[in-house]
Amino acid sequence: MKTEWLRQTIRDFEPYKVPEIQEHTIINANESPYNILDFPSVRADFLKGLDEIKSYRYPDPYAEDLRKALAGYVHCRPGQILATNGGDETISLILNTFINPGDTVLVHTPTFDIYGIDATVLGARVVHVPDDDGYCRNAEKLQQAIADMQPKVTFVCNPNNPTGSIWPVAVIEKLLQTADNIVVVDEAYLEFSGQDSVIPLMDRYDNLIVIRTLSKAFGLAGFRLGYGVAREDVIDALSLTKLSYHLNSVTQLMGCVAMKHRDEILGHNVPPTIGNRDYLERELSGFEGVTVYPSATNFILVRVPDGPALIAAMKKADICVRFYSAKDLQNCIRLTVTTRDVADRILAVFRSLYKEVAGRA
Ligand SMILES: *Cc1c(COP(=O)(O)O)cnc(C)c1O
């Protein structure tokens, strides 16, 4: 194949190679340790629904039942929801809807790579506002950048992946006030934060789009289900470029079942994750030379003196973690928080490499 055949904007993309994971404990992708089909109530309703699915029919193109169910969860109207193949599809639809080649997309950094990648494919100019030291996001700097550039789309990941930090709703509201264009708030991890969603702000700001997902707190990464929340006219605009029958019937069914049993699922999945996160944060911060960044999510970013040595030691302990090639994340490792047992194995690896600081609280 000739490289010239490729769309110009993707010619220097590296081929996406995922090395085969050999380790058995996989904590590199912020997946849940819990299987939704292990809830007897969920399993029974899902299997019953599966029996009624007519496989030869196309799925409902607007997933009306699912929108209603999701609207009940986030307290808005069904018309203010667009259900998608993971939050990733919402990101892609947003950019497809609003970006012309040459438009500016603004992101704080470090953050989720997909915003910049999808924007680059469309020929957007991606502008990064770097965090202050210690991965403190600088709201004034971001607000100033919005005011100066009026980017077509601004992405705010809240809580942020990979740093785990969270901004209060009031900070997001200032950004919405400053922006004349779309502000996307990605709340993929909100359920672990104990903080309220910014969704109610859409009553006052027509430029807000919120992204949510069932991949993390609901443990549904394999089913691919996320959603965008915005004013009705924005949701209608996002639907302009979506494939007609993008969301398959099985995913729509599982989404409805998950919403029906959401209290049970979240009540089971979230508190132990928060407990293990707090435990890991406390214990990890006791190692000499290790910096732990406070997290409002189901993962923890740590900086260690020698990243490659830690990754190798984790591998030896049969644990696969996330590390980064980006310069601003040098020697940083992201650990998904799962069970207490895995947390203790992580701590054992740290103990084998680093000294515990005596006399800590
Ligand atoms: C995981 C994640 C998503 C969405 O993932 P999907 O599996 O596509 O729903 C979106 N944003 C961030 C920051 C994430 O970490």
Side-chain angles (χ1 to χ4, degrees), residues 6-265:
L6 292 175
R7 182 202 275 263
Q8 270 169 12
T9 54
I10 66 169
R11 285 186 194 163
D12 2 301
F13 279 27
E14 297 284 333
Y16 189 72
K17 280 197 223 103
V18 185
E20 203 186 324
I21 295 176
Q22 261 131 30
E23 299 83 357
H24 293 92
T25 300
I26 300 166
I27 54 167
N28 71 338
N30 302 338
E31 291 157 338
S32 173
Y34 308 113
N35 188 341
I36 200 166
L37 288 165
D38 288 343
F39 294 89
S41 56
V42 172
R43 189 181 187 86
D45 281 347
F46 177 68
L47 292 178
K48 190 160 150 277
L50 212 47
D51 258 348
E52 288 159 18
I53 281 186
K54 297 187 175 71
S55 309
Y56 50 89
R57 295 259 181 242
Y58 284 107
D60 176 352
Y62 290 99
E64 296 297 351
D65 290 344
L66 177 55
R67 284 170 115 173
K68 256 182 246 155
L70 292 168
Y73 175 42
V74 299
H75 309 294
C76 68
R77 291 188 290 276
Q80 295 171 320
I81 300 246
L82 179 64
T84 56
N85 287 281
D88 282 0
E89 191 188 13
T90 305
I91 297 169
S92 160
L93 287 173
I94 290 167
L95 292 165
N96 266 313
T97 303
F98 297 105
I99 292 300
N100 292 304
D103 282 347
T104 300
V105 169
L106 185 68
V107 296
H108 53 77
T109 189
T111 191
F112 196 42
D113 289 335
I114 303 294
Y115 314 135
I117 294 170
D118 285 4
T120 303
V121 171
L122 294 175
R125 182 174 74 105
V126 182
V127 176
H128 301 265
V129 175
D131 285 358
D132 292 343
D133 285 349
Y135 302 118
C136 289
R137 283 182 294 175
N138 187 323
E140 287 79 37
K141 261 197 325 200
L142 192 64
Q143 196 183 357
Q144 194 58 52
I146 292 173
D148 292 345
M149 284 180 251
Q150 283 302 340
K152 204 67 183 296
V153 176
T154 300
F155 281 96
V156 179
C157 189
N158 204 58
N160 189 31
N161 177 8
T163 64
S165 77
I166 188 163
W167 268 335
V169 173
V171 170
I172 308 277
E173 180 160 16
K174 274 202 190 135
L175 302 176
L176 287 164
Q177 281 166 352
T178 309
D180 260 337
N181 287 307
I182 295 290
V183 175
V184 180
V185 181
D186 184 342
E187 295 187 334
Y189 298 95
L190 188 83
E191 283 91 346
F192 300 107
S193 74
Q195 186 172 299
D196 286 339
S197 171
V198 298
I199 288 172
L201 291 179
M202 77 181 165
D203 293 340
R204 272 176 291 144
Y205 300 95
D206 63 357
N207 56 343
L208 171 65
I209 304 176
V210 179
I211 298 174
R212 301 285 295 263
T213 180
L214 277 76
S215 293
K216 309 286 160 58
F218 286 88
L220 267 177
F223 273 79
R224 310 307 301 128
L225 180 56
Y227 51 105
V229 190
R231 298 257 275 254
E232 269 100 340
D233 57 342
V234 175
I235 291 298
D236 290 347
L238 294 180
S239 311
L240 293 172
T241 66
K242 84 170 185 67
L243 301 181
S244 314
Y245 302 110
H246 65 148
L247 197 64
N248 76 72
S249 308
V250 180
T251 295
Q252 292 191 27
L253 165 64
M254 180 52 105
C256 291
V257 173
M259 284 302 111
K260 180 175 166 197
H261 300 289
R262 63 184 183 245
D263 292 341
E264 184 189 351
I265 298 164

